[in-house]
Amino acid sequence: MELTEAARGRERIVVDARETFVATRALRELSLDYTGEAPRSVALVLSSGTERALVARSENGKLRVDLGATIAKGRAFTVRVVVSNALVQGTGRDRNAIGTFGGFVAQDTSEGRRMLSTLNWPKLGRTWIPLRDHPADGAMFALRATFPKRFTVVGNGKLVSSRESGESKVWEYENLVPIPSYDFHVAAYDGWKETDVAAPSGKHVHTWVYGADQPTSSVMLGELPKALAFYEKLVGPFRFEQAGFLEEPIWAGGMENAGVVSLDETLFRTPQESRTTAFHELAHHWSGNLVRIRRWNDFWLSEGFTDYLSHRFVEENDGAAASSKEWGVALGRATGSDGAFALRPGDAAEFDPVRFMNASAIPYDKGAWVLRTVEGIVGRPALDAFLHGWFARHAFEAVTTEQWEAELSSETGRDLSGFFSGFVHGTGHPELRVTLTATAAGGTRIAVDQTQAGAAFAVPVTLELSGASGGAPTLATIDLRDKHVEKEVPQTVRRAIVDPKGVLYGLVACSSDDPCRTGTSCRAGFCRAL
Ligand SMILES: [Zn+2]
């Protein structure tokens, strides 16, 4: 690509894309996603290197390329498309319009300098490059970018070369592993300062941060090598060239562009709080980037898993109290909004990713919590072993929720269909009320009612039972299946703490007589995070 017009407000980029595809069926027409200006040329690149011009027509956001002859199933072929587009002029006011703000954007940073950068999520790459723009399709991405020489240009993968040529500089990057197209990233700026630190595995954390934000960036990004080491131990090797983090003006958060994460410049004003955004984006290099989602409906496999992993790092790094607080906040957000749609919405239509972002507590917070509940059911060692295998087996593939459910059930030897039906494929959450009744024989009948509207959730719940004598409490597990279940125990129980470890996605009713577990208090009828 080349920046052919650099004047402020008139920036324009020419992309000369050579795209290699594998035909997954006999193919006469190649359908690419593209909404930019009409292509200058489209050609088939023959094995001799010569080109044959092709006819392409634009139709409803697609560029339909007549390949001239049928390409057999399984054959690879290369198409060259040249497009020229004006960069999107970012005003700074539109940045949080997730889903519509993005493409290849020219805008001023908080330093008042010009940045030219891409923001492709979820479907905006197609505004500047014709491509198969869906995470089901992974693609390698090699970049040769010619920009005015004052810019530092960053792209996914390994920096292969950079050389000055007159008033320009040519940068070459290679990312030779498949990534989702929303991860393709190019950014050019002349105000970054770079740092580079090796993690224990030898992989590098590389940062590009505005000069003025260097001091805060050490707080915000300084623990990333430790986080990288933690994730590698938990879920397997980091499989990208480097863990790069760039300060850019994007929406008020991060974007996990593989190997070259974008972090919004506003995050650097609250570096302590923003650490977790950086931990989250790094964790995407397993969930989302390494193991892609097959459909947008499976979005929780990207965001929920990523939040689960970053919560685990916070527990390791910041301690149990900080982690517990984070989980509590997430539970409040998720249970407050999970009626809108299921964690994995049904197949009637492919789900709009922007709808997920408008109720992001569902894929992110509920997603992470459902994994925490699975951890409570199968145990941490079993879940950790499963996750390690999952990311190894499906590296550079796109996966579905059905695969995750089937493999988890098979590996743990548990029938989790009832659990998935309520927590993953259903809306809402369980609301539990426990009632203790003395039996004639001197024991206690424990009744657990699910008081939420709708069907019962199937999940085991642990109760911590205390008697009158003041002895050590005992634990009992009750399998919830119906909206009312009972269990009798031989001893006198005065008090039952529901879910003492706080691993169940749901709410527990409380009153002055029914206390809450440590770390929560009774408010508006339910135990809630302090
Ligand atoms: Zn994310």
Side-chain angles (χ1 to χ4, degrees):
M1 67 170 59
E2 181 171 3
L3 190 75
T4 51
E5 171 60 67
R8 182 188 197 82
R10 294 209 307 271
E11 293 94 342
R12 176 165 277 274
I13 196 109
V14 169
V15 176
D16 180 350
R18 286 162 189 272
E19 307 186 355
T20 299
F21 303 90
V22 176
T24 53
R25 57 183 165 79
L27 207 63
R28 174 62 201 245
E29 182 185 87
L30 172 67
S31 173
L32 298 174
D33 299 300
Y34 181 61
T35 58
E37 296 177 26
R40 290 183 174 179
S41 65
V42 183
L44 188 67
V45 181
L46 304 174
S47 52
S48 60
T50 57
E51 296 178 8
R52 183 193 300 146
L54 297 176
V55 176
R57 66 181 202 282
S58 296
E59 189 182 285
N60 298 328
K62 302 277 187 192
L63 184 66
R64 298 190 183 280
V65 180
D66 183 345
L67 294 167
T70 299
I71 290 178
K73 179 180 175 182
R75 291 288 299 273
F77 62 99
T78 299
V79 169
R80 181 179 180 191
V81 191
V82 181
V83 295
S84 169
N85 283 288
L87 269 59
V88 174
Q89 295 295 317
T91 63
R93 289 189 299 276
D94 45 9
R95 280 181 202 154
N96 282 318
I98 291 183
T100 53
F101 174 71
F104 211 133
V105 185
Q107 58 189 323
D108 288 340
T109 66
S110 58
E111 298 188 311
R113 310 169 83 97
R114 211 65 175 154
M115 182 173 294
L116 314 177
S117 59
T118 62
L119 180 54
N120 289 347
W121 195 92
K123 302 176 179 181
L124 292 166
R126 65 189 66 181
T127 61
W128 61 272
I129 183 172
L131 76 176
R132 298 282 294 182
D133 198 10
H134 191 285
D137 280 321
M140 301 178 191
F141 185 71
L143 172 72
R144 181 183 300 126
T146 304
F147 275 67
K149 66 183 177 190
R150 70 173 187 278
F151 285 113
T152 296
V153 178
V154 181
N156 307 90
K158 179 185 175 131
L159 175 62
V160 177
S161 73
S162 61
R163 60 185 184 277
E164 289 189 9
S165 165
E167 292 306 303
S168 298
K169 191 165 179 181
V170 183
W171 301 76
E172 291 189 335
Y173 286 89
E174 281 182 357
N175 173 79
L176 300 183
V177 291
I179 55 176
S181 57
Y182 59 62
D183 269 354
F184 291 177
H185 192 53
V186 184
Y189 193 51
D190 63 355
W192 283 315
K193 292 242 179 327
E194 297 180 40
T195 64
D196 192 272
V197 180
S201 65
K203 289 290 181 178
H204 286 240
V205 174
H206 198 101
T207 66
W208 291 261
V209 172
Y210 304 166
D213 288 336
Q214 283 292 316
T216 52
S217 77
S218 62
V219 174
M220 184 171 149
L221 308 177
E223 289 160 317
L224 285 170
K226 207 171 154 189
L228 182 56
F230 175 81
Y231 295 142
E232 289 201 288
K233 185 158 177 255
L234 182 61
V235 284
F238 181 85
R239 304 216 197 195
F240 300 88
E241 176 65 22
Q242 65 186 355
F245 290 81
L246 293 92
E247 182 174 7
E248 297 175 16
I250 64 163
W251 53 59
M255 174 58 214
E256 67 266 26
N257 309 310
V260 280
V261 167
S262 301
L263 293 171
D264 183 48
E265 58 189 19
T266 61
L267 294 169
F268 290 77
R269 293 178 206 152
T270 53
Q272 183 65 23
E273 295 73 19
S274 299
R275 294 178 313 135
T276 51
T277 303
F279 301 156
H280 172 100
E281 304 309 337
L282 181 59
H284 266 305
H285 288 73
W286 287 267
S287 45
N289 292 352
L290 178 64
V291 177
R292 304 187 307 276
I293 52 172
R294 166 96 36 207
R295 294 159 305 191
W296 284 109
N297 304 49
D298 298 306
F299 191 48
W300 81 285
L301 294 181
S302 176
E303 297 300 349
F305 277 49
T306 292
D307 261 1
Y308 174 80
L309 295 176
S310 61
H311 287 323
R312 287 284 300 269
F313 177 64
V314 168
E315 179 188 320
E316 166 86 6
N317 189 60
D318 296 17
S323 164
S324 170
K325 189 174 172 195
E326 204 178 43
W327 279 111
V329 170
L331 183 67
R333 277 195 300 250
T335 53
S337 65
D338 61 10
F341 44 78
L343 191 52
R344 208 298 245 165
D347 281 326
E350 184 158 45
F351 208 75
D352 177 357
V354 176
R355 253 183 97 193
F356 273 126
M357 294 310 288
N358 290 335
S360 62
I362 296 174
Y364 288 70
D365 297 316
K366 182 181 177 184
W369 258 99
V370 164
L371 268 176
R372 181 173 170 85
T373 303
V374 169
E375 181 194 321
I377 297 171
V378 304
R380 179 169 282 191
L383 181 63
D384 287 358
F386 177 78
L387 288 176
H388 204 280
W390 169 260
F391 288 110
R393 279 194 299 283
H394 298 295
F396 304 119
E397 289 179 5
V399 294
T400 64
T401 301
E402 289 69 24
Q403 278 173 288
W404 150 253
E405 177 180 351
E407 292 182 24
L408 178 68
S409 303
S410 151
E411 190 168 316
T412 60
R414 286 169 189 267
D415 176 5
L416 294 165
S417 55
F419 174 83
F420 269 77
S421 155
F423 287 91
V424 176
H425 301 291
T427 57
H429 54 269
E431 294 180 355
L432 306 183
R433 183 190 297 130
V434 173
T435 314
L436 304 174
T437 312
T439 64
T444 306
R445 183 181 307 115
I446 304 167
V448 183
D449 287 286
Q450 297 190 34
T451 60
Q452 76 281 357
F457 286 81
V459 65
V461 63
T462 302
L463 304 177
E464 186 185 279
L465 309 175
S466 306
S469 58
T474 57
L475 295 178
T477 299
I478 299 183
D479 267 322
L480 304 184
R481 298 200 175 281
D482 303 314
K483 294 200 82 174
H484 177 88
V485 293
E486 292 183 359
K487 180 179 181 129
E488 279 194 27
V489 292
Q491 74 270 32
T492 301
V493 177
R494 293 269 184 253
R495 208 176 75 149
I497 301 277
V498 181
D499 184 32
K501 286 182 164 175
V503 296
L504 175 68
Y505 181 66
L507 293 175
V508 176
C510 51
S511 68
S512 50
D513 297 332
D514 300 315
C516 293
R517 70 177 175 84
T518 309
T520 63
S521 68
C522 193
R523 293 200 306 282
F526 291 103
C527 300
R528 299 174 195 275
L530 293 175

